[in-house]
């Protein structure tokens, strides 16, 4: 088959994507930009950035404009089409040497973009739910925060689940190509860590040294009295067993939060790095394809390279081993398995909801 080059980034290709001679990575970038209706700012400000495969930091604005200039087109479907369920071994060869995304694309920037878009959508839905159910607002000096209960948590948790799936699909290209059983295993692995990382990040940001835990973007539970999270009016079976499990989770949370507080305040970029690690720090005992685990390791290596560059050039740190080590320690510990234990004890049917939307 005749070999050609991507007209956007010059990588060799053998097939066209979205109607032009473009690689899969550039086509996926254009598609994500169209779906999210994104706009970008040129890095140099003149709209004339040179875009090549092996450049470390590429201008997304000029990349997108180049796609449009060449006639790349993607029409948003009126409704989501069923995804093709195939094993990762059956995926078409990628021009990115087997990595989970384009080797030239910043993984941190990709996660940052997708998480912020997801955060904004979740915030609107949470505020609507809170207003509809008249949840009590607490007195906080700077933030709009509300007292959580198990009932409100599980209702809002459905929003989190749906948006976490969107983040996975848009940041990690191979996710949609997995079989349903493998997607289910990987999503469960990611969701617990995603929730724990986000909860600890927001808790340390809003409450400093107080033992309060953010359960969603706007609601929290008192870590000193976690049993109050479940009232007699909540539709939860075996309430005492549930409260015991919740107390155990509070102990796990405190042990995880302690090292993070010693790091000083976690930066937003470090938080986005934790979300990437929530996906690619895969337990090798999980029943997942070897190729997926290998690709995840490549993503992790790329992430650490980006973090080192961030520490050196933006934070101006000469010794960042402590911060990097703290992130890795936290990522390993943020399993959050107890949240799934709550599902059984609380009879909330979260797993059935996941099955419906995956």
């Amino acid at each position: 088959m005749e070999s050609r080059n991507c007209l956007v980034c010059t990588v060799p290709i053998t097939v066209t994507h979205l109607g032009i001679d473009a690689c899969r990575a550039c086509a996926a970038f254009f598609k994500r930009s169209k779906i999210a209706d994104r706009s970008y700012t040129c890095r140099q400000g003149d709209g004339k950035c040179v875009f090549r495969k092996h450049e470390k930091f590429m201008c997304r604005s000029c990349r997108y404009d180049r796609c449009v200039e060449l006639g790349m087109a993607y029409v948003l479907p009126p409704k989501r089409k069923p995804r093709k369920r195939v094993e990762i071994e059956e995926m078409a060869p990628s021009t990115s040497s087997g990595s989970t995304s384009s080797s030239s694309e910043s993984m941190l920037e990709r996660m940052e973009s997708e998480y912020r878009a997801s955060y904004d959508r979740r915030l609107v839905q949470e505020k609507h739910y809170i207003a509809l159910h008249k949840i009590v607002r607490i007195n906080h000096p700077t933030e709009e925060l509300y007292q959580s209960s198990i009932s409100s948590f599980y209702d809002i948790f459905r929003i989190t689940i749906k948006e976490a799936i969107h983040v996975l699909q848009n940041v990690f290209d191979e996710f949609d190509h997995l079989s349903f059983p493998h997607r289910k295993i990987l999503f469960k692995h990611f969701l617990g860590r995603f929730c724990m990382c986000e909860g600890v990040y927001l808790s340390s940001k809003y409450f400093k040294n107080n033992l309060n835990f953010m359960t969603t973007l706007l609601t929290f539970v008192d870590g000193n009295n976690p049993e109050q999270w479940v009232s007699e009016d909540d539709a939860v079976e075996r309430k005492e067993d549930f409260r015991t499990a919740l107390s155990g989770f509070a102990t796990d949370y405190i042990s995880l939060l302690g090292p993070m507080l010693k790091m000083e305040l976690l930066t937003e970029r470090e938080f986005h790095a934790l979300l990437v690690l929530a996906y690619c720090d895969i337990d090798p005992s999980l029943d997942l394809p070897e190729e997926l685990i290998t690709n995840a390791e490549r993503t992790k290596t790329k992430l650490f390279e980006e973090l080192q560059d961030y520490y050196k050039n933006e934070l101006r740190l000469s010794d960042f081993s402590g911060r990097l080590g703290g992130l890795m320690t936290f990522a390993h510990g943020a399993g959050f398995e107890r949240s799934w234990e709550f599902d059984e004890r609380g009879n909330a049917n979260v797993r059935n909801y996941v099955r419906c939307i995956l």
Side-chain angles (χ1 to χ4, degrees), residues 84-93 98-100 173-180 182-183 186 279 282 288-296:
K84 185 178 180 181
R85 294 180 179 176
V86 295
E87 297 291 339
I88 191 168
E89 291 86 351
E90 300 170 357
M91 292 169 58
S99 62
T100 56
D173 296 333
E174 77 277 8
F175 181 75
D176 274 347
H177 295 279
L178 295 170
S179 67
F180 174 75
H182 289 153
R183 276 188 286 127
L186 194 56
Y279 172 85
I282 296 178
L288 292 170
E290 184 63 31
E291 183 181 348
L292 175 66
I293 296 175
T294 301
N295 288 345

PDB file of all heavy atoms in Angstrom, residues 84-93 98-100 173-180 182-183 186 279 282 288-296:
ATOM      1  N   LYS A  84     -18.582   0.066  18.572  1.00  0.00           N
ATOM      2  CA  LYS A  84     -18.166  -1.252  18.144  1.00  0.00           C
ATOM      3  C   LYS A  84     -17.388  -1.910  19.265  1.00  0.00           C
ATOM      4  O   LYS A  84     -16.413  -1.367  19.760  1.00  0.00           O
ATOM      5  CB  LYS A  84     -17.286  -1.146  16.898  1.00  0.00           C
ATOM      6  CG  LYS A  84     -16.911  -2.500  16.307  1.00  0.00           C
ATOM      7  CD  LYS A  84     -16.092  -2.290  15.049  1.00  0.00           C
ATOM      8  CE  LYS A  84     -15.710  -3.618  14.429  1.00  0.00           C
ATOM      9  NZ  LYS A  84     -14.882  -3.443  13.218  1.00  0.00           N
ATOM     10  N   ARG A  85     -17.808  -3.095  19.659  1.00  0.00           N
ATOM     11  CA  ARG A  85     -17.175  -3.787  20.767  1.00  0.00           C
ATOM     12  C   ARG A  85     -16.170  -4.794  20.221  1.00  0.00           C
ATOM     13  O   ARG A  85     -16.527  -5.863  19.743  1.00  0.00           O
ATOM     14  CB  ARG A  85     -18.214  -4.514  21.615  1.00  0.00           C
ATOM     15  CG  ARG A  85     -19.154  -3.532  22.322  1.00  0.00           C
ATOM     16  CD  ARG A  85     -20.174  -4.267  23.152  1.00  0.00           C
ATOM     17  NE  ARG A  85     -21.046  -3.315  23.834  1.00  0.00           N
ATOM     18  CZ  ARG A  85     -22.098  -3.681  24.579  1.00  0.00           C
ATOM     19  NH1 ARG A  85     -22.399  -4.940  24.716  1.00  0.00           N
ATOM     20  NH2 ARG A  85     -22.837  -2.761  25.165  1.00  0.00           N
ATOM     21  N   VAL A  86     -14.922  -4.432  20.263  1.00  0.00           N
ATOM     22  CA  VAL A  86     -13.870  -5.325  19.807  1.00  0.00           C
ATOM     23  C   VAL A  86     -12.762  -5.347  20.825  1.00  0.00           C
ATOM     24  O   VAL A  86     -12.593  -4.423  21.614  1.00  0.00           O
ATOM     25  CB  VAL A  86     -13.294  -4.869  18.437  1.00  0.00           C
ATOM     26  CG1 VAL A  86     -14.346  -4.957  17.367  1.00  0.00           C
ATOM     27  CG2 VAL A  86     -12.739  -3.452  18.529  1.00  0.00           C
ATOM     28  N   GLU A  87     -11.996  -6.421  20.826  1.00  0.00           N
ATOM     29  CA  GLU A  87     -10.872  -6.531  21.744  1.00  0.00           C
ATOM     30  C   GLU A  87      -9.757  -5.594  21.316  1.00  0.00           C
ATOM     31  O   GLU A  87      -9.617  -5.256  20.138  1.00  0.00           O
ATOM     32  CB  GLU A  87     -10.350  -7.972  21.740  1.00  0.00           C
ATOM     33  CG  GLU A  87     -11.363  -8.994  22.228  1.00  0.00           C
ATOM     34  CD  GLU A  87     -11.656  -8.851  23.713  1.00  0.00           C
ATOM     35  OE1 GLU A  87     -10.819  -8.264  24.427  1.00  0.00           O
ATOM     36  OE2 GLU A  87     -12.722  -9.312  24.144  1.00  0.00           O
ATOM     37  N   ILE A  88      -8.946  -5.156  22.265  1.00  0.00           N
ATOM     38  CA  ILE A  88      -7.870  -4.230  21.940  1.00  0.00           C
ATOM     39  C   ILE A  88      -6.884  -4.849  20.969  1.00  0.00           C
ATOM     40  O   ILE A  88      -6.253  -4.167  20.179  1.00  0.00           O
ATOM     41  CB  ILE A  88      -7.143  -3.756  23.219  1.00  0.00           C
ATOM     42  CG1 ILE A  88      -6.214  -2.600  22.899  1.00  0.00           C
ATOM     43  CG2 ILE A  88      -6.391  -4.890  23.881  1.00  0.00           C
ATOM     44  CD1 ILE A  88      -5.692  -1.899  24.135  1.00  0.00           C
ATOM     45  N   GLU A  89      -6.742  -6.199  20.980  1.00  0.00           N
ATOM     46  CA  GLU A  89      -5.828  -6.842  20.055  1.00  0.00           C
ATOM     47  C   GLU A  89      -6.272  -6.668  18.606  1.00  0.00           C
ATOM     48  O   GLU A  89      -5.500  -6.841  17.667  1.00  0.00           O
ATOM     49  CB  GLU A  89      -5.728  -8.347  20.370  1.00  0.00           C
ATOM     50  CG  GLU A  89      -5.017  -8.643  21.679  1.00  0.00           C
ATOM     51  CD  GLU A  89      -5.955  -8.598  22.875  1.00  0.00           C
ATOM     52  OE1 GLU A  89      -7.110  -8.174  22.705  1.00  0.00           O
ATOM     53  OE2 GLU A  89      -5.532  -8.996  23.975  1.00  0.00           O
ATOM     54  N   GLU A  90      -7.584  -6.347  18.393  1.00  0.00           N
ATOM     55  CA  GLU A  90      -8.099  -6.216  17.049  1.00  0.00           C
ATOM     56  C   GLU A  90      -8.079  -4.787  16.553  1.00  0.00           C
ATOM     57  O   GLU A  90      -8.563  -4.482  15.472  1.00  0.00           O
ATOM     58  CB  GLU A  90      -9.549  -6.744  17.000  1.00  0.00           C
ATOM     59  CG  GLU A  90      -9.649  -8.213  17.412  1.00  0.00           C
ATOM     60  CD  GLU A  90     -11.088  -8.632  17.594  1.00  0.00           C
ATOM     61  OE1 GLU A  90     -11.960  -7.761  17.461  1.00  0.00           O
ATOM     62  OE2 GLU A  90     -11.341  -9.815  17.845  1.00  0.00           O
ATOM     63  N   MET A  91      -7.542  -3.874  17.369  1.00  0.00           N
ATOM     64  CA  MET A  91      -7.505  -2.477  16.964  1.00  0.00           C
ATOM     65  C   MET A  91      -6.590  -2.293  15.774  1.00  0.00           C
ATOM     66  O   MET A  91      -5.595  -2.979  15.611  1.00  0.00           O
ATOM     67  CB  MET A  91      -7.003  -1.591  18.127  1.00  0.00           C
ATOM     68  CG  MET A  91      -7.965  -1.508  19.294  1.00  0.00           C
ATOM     69  SD  MET A  91      -7.197  -0.748  20.724  1.00  0.00           S
ATOM     70  CE  MET A  91      -6.707   0.812  20.055  1.00  0.00           C
ATOM     71  N   ALA A  92      -6.947  -1.310  14.907  1.00  0.00           N
ATOM     72  CA  ALA A  92      -6.088  -1.005  13.773  1.00  0.00           C
ATOM     73  C   ALA A  92      -4.776  -0.441  14.270  1.00  0.00           C
ATOM     74  O   ALA A  92      -4.722   0.245  15.295  1.00  0.00           O
ATOM     75  CB  ALA A  92      -6.767   0.019  12.866  1.00  0.00           C
ATOM     76  N   PRO A  93      -3.649  -0.710  13.579  1.00  0.00           N
ATOM     77  CA  PRO A  93      -2.358  -0.180  14.006  1.00  0.00           C
ATOM     78  C   PRO A  93      -2.378   1.330  14.088  1.00  0.00           C
ATOM     79  O   PRO A  93      -2.946   1.999  13.240  1.00  0.00           O
ATOM     80  CB  PRO A  93      -1.401  -0.666  12.899  1.00  0.00           C
ATOM     81  CG  PRO A  93      -2.081  -1.848  12.289  1.00  0.00           C
ATOM     82  CD  PRO A  93      -3.558  -1.550  12.389  1.00  0.00           C
ATOM     83  N   GLY A  98       1.900   2.745  19.275  1.00  0.00           N
ATOM     84  CA  GLY A  98       1.251   1.980  20.333  1.00  0.00           C
ATOM     85  C   GLY A  98       0.929   2.758  21.572  1.00  0.00           C
ATOM     86  O   GLY A  98       0.465   2.206  22.541  1.00  0.00           O
ATOM     87  N   SER A  99       1.167   4.045  21.618  1.00  0.00           N
ATOM     88  CA  SER A  99       0.848   4.830  22.799  1.00  0.00           C
ATOM     89  C   SER A  99      -0.646   5.080  22.838  1.00  0.00           C
ATOM     90  O   SER A  99      -1.352   4.936  21.873  1.00  0.00           O
ATOM     91  CB  SER A  99       1.598   6.167  22.785  1.00  0.00           C
ATOM     92  OG  SER A  99       1.212   6.932  21.693  1.00  0.00           O
ATOM     93  N   THR A 100      -1.153   5.480  24.023  1.00  0.00           N
ATOM     94  CA  THR A 100      -2.577   5.652  24.181  1.00  0.00           C
ATOM     95  C   THR A 100      -3.076   6.940  23.553  1.00  0.00           C
ATOM     96  O   THR A 100      -4.267   7.164  23.463  1.00  0.00           O
ATOM     97  CB  THR A 100      -2.941   5.659  25.686  1.00  0.00           C
ATOM     98  OG1 THR A 100      -2.188   6.667  26.328  1.00  0.00           O
ATOM     99  CG2 THR A 100      -2.645   4.312  26.306  1.00  0.00           C
ATOM    100  N   ASP A 173      -7.707   7.255  23.851  1.00  0.00           N
ATOM    101  CA  ASP A 173      -8.335   6.854  22.597  1.00  0.00           C
ATOM    102  C   ASP A 173      -8.753   5.394  22.559  1.00  0.00           C
ATOM    103  O   ASP A 173      -9.725   5.040  21.896  1.00  0.00           O
ATOM    104  CB  ASP A 173      -7.391   7.138  21.423  1.00  0.00           C
ATOM    105  CG  ASP A 173      -7.119   8.624  21.251  1.00  0.00           C
ATOM    106  OD1 ASP A 173      -7.981   9.434  21.650  1.00  0.00           O
ATOM    107  OD2 ASP A 173      -6.058   8.976  20.707  1.00  0.00           O
ATOM    108  N   GLU A 174      -8.012   4.520  23.229  1.00  0.00           N
ATOM    109  CA  GLU A 174      -8.268   3.093  23.083  1.00  0.00           C
ATOM    110  C   GLU A 174      -9.467   2.610  23.890  1.00  0.00           C
ATOM    111  O   GLU A 174      -9.939   1.489  23.693  1.00  0.00           O
ATOM    112  CB  GLU A 174      -7.033   2.282  23.493  1.00  0.00           C
ATOM    113  CG  GLU A 174      -6.812   2.156  24.994  1.00  0.00           C
ATOM    114  CD  GLU A 174      -6.098   3.352  25.589  1.00  0.00           C
ATOM    115  OE1 GLU A 174      -5.916   4.354  24.865  1.00  0.00           O
ATOM    116  OE2 GLU A 174      -5.719   3.314  26.757  1.00  0.00           O
ATOM    117  N   PHE A 175     -10.002   3.425  24.801  1.00  0.00           N
ATOM    118  CA  PHE A 175     -11.044   2.955  25.719  1.00  0.00           C
ATOM    119  C   PHE A 175     -12.270   2.432  24.971  1.00  0.00           C
ATOM    120  O   PHE A 175     -12.809   1.369  25.288  1.00  0.00           O
ATOM    121  CB  PHE A 175     -11.448   4.075  26.676  1.00  0.00           C
ATOM    122  CG  PHE A 175     -12.507   3.666  27.672  1.00  0.00           C
ATOM    123  CD1 PHE A 175     -12.173   2.863  28.758  1.00  0.00           C
ATOM    124  CD2 PHE A 175     -13.822   4.063  27.519  1.00  0.00           C
ATOM    125  CE1 PHE A 175     -13.139   2.472  29.669  1.00  0.00           C
ATOM    126  CE2 PHE A 175     -14.790   3.678  28.425  1.00  0.00           C
ATOM    127  CZ  PHE A 175     -14.457   2.883  29.508  1.00  0.00           C
ATOM    128  N   ASP A 176     -12.743   3.173  23.969  1.00  0.00           N
ATOM    129  CA  ASP A 176     -13.938   2.770  23.246  1.00  0.00           C
ATOM    130  C   ASP A 176     -13.741   1.511  22.406  1.00  0.00           C
ATOM    131  O   ASP A 176     -14.710   0.903  21.963  1.00  0.00           O
ATOM    132  CB  ASP A 176     -14.425   3.907  22.336  1.00  0.00           C
ATOM    133  CG  ASP A 176     -15.335   4.872  23.076  1.00  0.00           C
ATOM    134  OD1 ASP A 176     -15.769   4.525  24.182  1.00  0.00           O
ATOM    135  OD2 ASP A 176     -15.606   5.960  22.545  1.00  0.00           O
ATOM    136  N   HIS A 177     -12.493   1.121  22.167  1.00  0.00           N
ATOM    137  CA  HIS A 177     -12.223  -0.047  21.344  1.00  0.00           C
ATOM    138  C   HIS A 177     -12.146  -1.337  22.151  1.00  0.00           C
ATOM    139  O   HIS A 177     -11.986  -2.415  21.578  1.00  0.00           O
ATOM    140  CB  HIS A 177     -10.907   0.150  20.571  1.00  0.00           C
ATOM    141  CG  HIS A 177     -10.968   1.258  19.572  1.00  0.00           C
ATOM    142  ND1 HIS A 177     -11.519   1.106  18.324  1.00  0.00           N
ATOM    143  CD2 HIS A 177     -10.558   2.547  19.638  1.00  0.00           C
ATOM    144  CE1 HIS A 177     -11.437   2.246  17.660  1.00  0.00           C
ATOM    145  NE2 HIS A 177     -10.860   3.139  18.448  1.00  0.00           N
ATOM    146  N   LEU A 178     -12.260  -1.229  23.455  1.00  0.00           N
ATOM    147  CA  LEU A 178     -12.207  -2.412  24.298  1.00  0.00           C
ATOM    148  C   LEU A 178     -13.539  -3.140  24.296  1.00  0.00           C
ATOM    149  O   LEU A 178     -14.588  -2.553  24.016  1.00  0.00           O
ATOM    150  CB  LEU A 178     -11.849  -2.015  25.732  1.00  0.00           C
ATOM    151  CG  LEU A 178     -10.460  -1.418  25.965  1.00  0.00           C
ATOM    152  CD1 LEU A 178     -10.376  -0.849  27.378  1.00  0.00           C
ATOM    153  CD2 LEU A 178      -9.382  -2.450  25.737  1.00  0.00           C
ATOM    154  N   SER A 179     -13.506  -4.425  24.622  1.00  0.00           N
ATOM    155  CA  SER A 179     -14.747  -5.177  24.796  1.00  0.00           C
ATOM    156  C   SER A 179     -15.479  -4.652  26.027  1.00  0.00           C
ATOM    157  O   SER A 179     -14.875  -4.009  26.904  1.00  0.00           O
ATOM    158  CB  SER A 179     -14.439  -6.664  24.976  1.00  0.00           C
ATOM    159  OG  SER A 179     -13.748  -6.874  26.203  1.00  0.00           O
ATOM    160  N   PHE A 180     -16.773  -4.941  26.128  1.00  0.00           N
ATOM    161  CA  PHE A 180     -17.542  -4.449  27.268  1.00  0.00           C
ATOM    162  C   PHE A 180     -16.979  -4.930  28.608  1.00  0.00           C
ATOM    163  O   PHE A 180     -16.836  -4.134  29.538  1.00  0.00           O
ATOM    164  CB  PHE A 180     -19.011  -4.853  27.145  1.00  0.00           C
ATOM    165  CG  PHE A 180     -19.816  -4.497  28.358  1.00  0.00           C
ATOM    166  CD1 PHE A 180     -20.188  -3.179  28.604  1.00  0.00           C
ATOM    167  CD2 PHE A 180     -20.178  -5.466  29.285  1.00  0.00           C
ATOM    168  CE1 PHE A 180     -20.914  -2.842  29.739  1.00  0.00           C
ATOM    169  CE2 PHE A 180     -20.900  -5.138  30.419  1.00  0.00           C
ATOM    170  CZ  PHE A 180     -21.274  -3.827  30.643  1.00  0.00           C
ATOM    171  N   HIS A 182     -13.932  -5.648  29.447  1.00  0.00           N
ATOM    172  CA  HIS A 182     -12.689  -4.940  29.750  1.00  0.00           C
ATOM    173  C   HIS A 182     -12.950  -3.465  30.058  1.00  0.00           C
ATOM    174  O   HIS A 182     -12.295  -2.874  30.920  1.00  0.00           O
ATOM    175  CB  HIS A 182     -11.708  -5.075  28.593  1.00  0.00           C
ATOM    176  CG  HIS A 182     -11.136  -6.453  28.464  1.00  0.00           C
ATOM    177  ND1 HIS A 182     -10.693  -6.974  27.272  1.00  0.00           N
ATOM    178  CD2 HIS A 182     -10.954  -7.429  29.407  1.00  0.00           C
ATOM    179  CE1 HIS A 182     -10.250  -8.218  27.478  1.00  0.00           C
ATOM    180  NE2 HIS A 182     -10.398  -8.510  28.758  1.00  0.00           N
ATOM    181  N   ARG A 183     -13.904  -2.862  29.346  1.00  0.00           N
ATOM    182  CA  ARG A 183     -14.251  -1.472  29.665  1.00  0.00           C
ATOM    183  C   ARG A 183     -14.818  -1.367  31.074  1.00  0.00           C
ATOM    184  O   ARG A 183     -14.542  -0.406  31.809  1.00  0.00           O
ATOM    185  CB  ARG A 183     -15.256  -0.929  28.647  1.00  0.00           C
ATOM    186  CG  ARG A 183     -14.612  -0.400  27.378  1.00  0.00           C
ATOM    187  CD  ARG A 183     -15.609   0.302  26.486  1.00  0.00           C
ATOM    188  NE  ARG A 183     -16.480  -0.651  25.833  1.00  0.00           N
ATOM    189  CZ  ARG A 183     -17.809  -0.599  25.859  1.00  0.00           C
ATOM    190  NH1 ARG A 183     -18.421   0.349  26.527  1.00  0.00           N
ATOM    191  NH2 ARG A 183     -18.529  -1.494  25.223  1.00  0.00           N
ATOM    192  N   LEU A 186     -11.918  -1.654  33.592  1.00  0.00           N
ATOM    193  CA  LEU A 186     -11.070  -0.470  33.559  1.00  0.00           C
ATOM    194  C   LEU A 186     -11.792   0.746  34.118  1.00  0.00           C
ATOM    195  O   LEU A 186     -11.199   1.569  34.825  1.00  0.00           O
ATOM    196  CB  LEU A 186     -10.617  -0.200  32.119  1.00  0.00           C
ATOM    197  CG  LEU A 186      -9.464   0.788  31.933  1.00  0.00           C
ATOM    198  CD1 LEU A 186      -8.244   0.353  32.726  1.00  0.00           C
ATOM    199  CD2 LEU A 186      -9.121   0.919  30.458  1.00  0.00           C
ATOM    200  N   TYR A 279      -5.915   6.406  35.678  1.00  0.00           N
ATOM    201  CA  TYR A 279      -6.191   5.497  34.562  1.00  0.00           C
ATOM    202  C   TYR A 279      -5.018   4.549  34.308  1.00  0.00           C
ATOM    203  O   TYR A 279      -5.193   3.339  34.181  1.00  0.00           O
ATOM    204  CB  TYR A 279      -6.472   6.299  33.301  1.00  0.00           C
ATOM    205  CG  TYR A 279      -6.577   5.444  32.045  1.00  0.00           C
ATOM    206  CD1 TYR A 279      -7.775   4.833  31.709  1.00  0.00           C
ATOM    207  CD2 TYR A 279      -5.480   5.262  31.214  1.00  0.00           C
ATOM    208  CE1 TYR A 279      -7.878   4.049  30.576  1.00  0.00           C
ATOM    209  CE2 TYR A 279      -5.574   4.480  30.077  1.00  0.00           C
ATOM    210  CZ  TYR A 279      -6.772   3.878  29.754  1.00  0.00           C
ATOM    211  OH  TYR A 279      -6.853   3.099  28.636  1.00  0.00           O
ATOM    212  N   ILE A 282      -2.259   0.861  36.478  1.00  0.00           N
ATOM    213  CA  ILE A 282      -3.153  -0.294  36.462  1.00  0.00           C
ATOM    214  C   ILE A 282      -2.592  -1.434  37.310  1.00  0.00           C
ATOM    215  O   ILE A 282      -1.410  -1.776  37.219  1.00  0.00           O
ATOM    216  CB  ILE A 282      -3.370  -0.787  35.019  1.00  0.00           C
ATOM    217  CG1 ILE A 282      -4.074   0.304  34.204  1.00  0.00           C
ATOM    218  CG2 ILE A 282      -4.199  -2.064  34.994  1.00  0.00           C
ATOM    219  CD1 ILE A 282      -4.280  -0.065  32.745  1.00  0.00           C
ATOM    220  N   LEU A 288      -6.986  -7.807  32.199  1.00  0.00           N
ATOM    221  CA  LEU A 288      -6.967  -6.868  31.083  1.00  0.00           C
ATOM    222  C   LEU A 288      -5.906  -7.298  30.073  1.00  0.00           C
ATOM    223  O   LEU A 288      -4.918  -7.949  30.445  1.00  0.00           O
ATOM    224  CB  LEU A 288      -6.665  -5.446  31.582  1.00  0.00           C
ATOM    225  CG  LEU A 288      -7.736  -4.793  32.444  1.00  0.00           C
ATOM    226  CD1 LEU A 288      -7.209  -3.509  33.072  1.00  0.00           C
ATOM    227  CD2 LEU A 288      -8.991  -4.490  31.616  1.00  0.00           C
ATOM    228  N   PRO A 289      -6.076  -6.933  28.788  1.00  0.00           N
ATOM    229  CA  PRO A 289      -5.096  -7.310  27.768  1.00  0.00           C
ATOM    230  C   PRO A 289      -3.705  -6.766  28.089  1.00  0.00           C
ATOM    231  O   PRO A 289      -3.552  -5.641  28.563  1.00  0.00           O
ATOM    232  CB  PRO A 289      -5.658  -6.676  26.487  1.00  0.00           C
ATOM    233  CG  PRO A 289      -7.104  -6.487  26.749  1.00  0.00           C
ATOM    234  CD  PRO A 289      -7.224  -6.214  28.217  1.00  0.00           C
ATOM    235  N   GLU A 290      -2.699  -7.565  27.798  1.00  0.00           N
ATOM    236  CA  GLU A 290      -1.324  -7.170  28.062  1.00  0.00           C
ATOM    237  C   GLU A 290      -0.960  -5.904  27.303  1.00  0.00           C
ATOM    238  O   GLU A 290      -0.217  -5.047  27.802  1.00  0.00           O
ATOM    239  CB  GLU A 290      -0.378  -8.308  27.676  1.00  0.00           C
ATOM    240  CG  GLU A 290       1.082  -8.033  28.008  1.00  0.00           C
ATOM    241  CD  GLU A 290       1.312  -7.871  29.508  1.00  0.00           C
ATOM    242  OE1 GLU A 290       0.587  -8.512  30.305  1.00  0.00           O
ATOM    243  OE2 GLU A 290       2.212  -7.092  29.881  1.00  0.00           O
ATOM    244  N   GLU A 291      -1.479  -5.762  26.082  1.00  0.00           N
ATOM    245  CA  GLU A 291      -1.170  -4.580  25.278  1.00  0.00           C
ATOM    246  C   GLU A 291      -1.682  -3.313  25.952  1.00  0.00           C
ATOM    247  O   GLU A 291      -1.020  -2.269  25.914  1.00  0.00           O
ATOM    248  CB  GLU A 291      -1.762  -4.709  23.879  1.00  0.00           C
ATOM    249  CG  GLU A 291      -1.413  -3.538  22.963  1.00  0.00           C
ATOM    250  CD  GLU A 291      -2.025  -3.679  21.589  1.00  0.00           C
ATOM    251  OE1 GLU A 291      -2.532  -4.765  21.262  1.00  0.00           O
ATOM    252  OE2 GLU A 291      -1.995  -2.692  20.835  1.00  0.00           O
ATOM    253  N   LEU A 292      -2.853  -3.397  26.562  1.00  0.00           N
ATOM    254  CA  LEU A 292      -3.410  -2.234  27.259  1.00  0.00           C
ATOM    255  C   LEU A 292      -2.516  -1.833  28.425  1.00  0.00           C
ATOM    256  O   LEU A 292      -2.240  -0.641  28.616  1.00  0.00           O
ATOM    257  CB  LEU A 292      -4.818  -2.554  27.754  1.00  0.00           C
ATOM    258  CG  LEU A 292      -5.481  -1.464  28.610  1.00  0.00           C
ATOM    259  CD1 LEU A 292      -5.731  -0.212  27.778  1.00  0.00           C
ATOM    260  CD2 LEU A 292      -6.787  -1.973  29.210  1.00  0.00           C
ATOM    261  N   ILE A 293      -2.056  -2.790  29.207  1.00  0.00           N
ATOM    262  CA  ILE A 293      -1.191  -2.495  30.346  1.00  0.00           C
ATOM    263  C   ILE A 293       0.138  -1.907  29.879  1.00  0.00           C
ATOM    264  O   ILE A 293       0.665  -0.961  30.474  1.00  0.00           O
ATOM    265  CB  ILE A 293      -0.961  -3.773  31.174  1.00  0.00           C
ATOM    266  CG1 ILE A 293      -2.305  -4.253  31.762  1.00  0.00           C
ATOM    267  CG2 ILE A 293       0.044  -3.531  32.292  1.00  0.00           C
ATOM    268  CD1 ILE A 293      -2.224  -5.567  32.507  1.00  0.00           C
ATOM    269  N   THR A 294       0.673  -2.438  28.771  1.00  0.00           N
ATOM    270  CA  THR A 294       1.921  -1.905  28.213  1.00  0.00           C
ATOM    271  C   THR A 294       1.731  -0.465  27.751  1.00  0.00           C
ATOM    272  O   THR A 294       2.579   0.408  27.999  1.00  0.00           O
ATOM    273  CB  THR A 294       2.389  -2.773  27.036  1.00  0.00           C
ATOM    274  OG1 THR A 294       2.593  -4.107  27.491  1.00  0.00           O
ATOM    275  CG2 THR A 294       3.684  -2.226  26.445  1.00  0.00           C
ATOM    276  N   ASN A 295       0.624  -0.184  27.073  1.00  0.00           N
ATOM    277  CA  ASN A 295       0.339   1.179  26.623  1.00  0.00           C
ATOM    278  C   ASN A 295       0.178   2.135  27.805  1.00  0.00           C
ATOM    279  O   ASN A 295       0.616   3.294  27.751  1.00  0.00           O
ATOM    280  CB  ASN A 295      -0.935   1.202  25.779  1.00  0.00           C
ATOM    281  CG  ASN A 295      -0.741   0.578  24.417  1.00  0.00           C
ATOM    282  OD1 ASN A 295       0.384   0.375  23.977  1.00  0.00           O
ATOM    283  ND2 ASN A 295      -1.829   0.270  23.745  1.00  0.00           N
ATOM    284  N   ALA A 296      -0.442   1.637  28.871  1.00  0.00           N
ATOM    285  CA  ALA A 296      -0.620   2.465  30.066  1.00  0.00           C
ATOM    286  C   ALA A 296       0.732   2.819  30.676  1.00  0.00           C
ATOM    287  O   ALA A 296       0.930   3.939  31.166  1.00  0.00           O
ATOM    288  CB  ALA A 296      -1.493   1.738  31.082  1.00  0.00           C
TER     289      ALA A 296
END
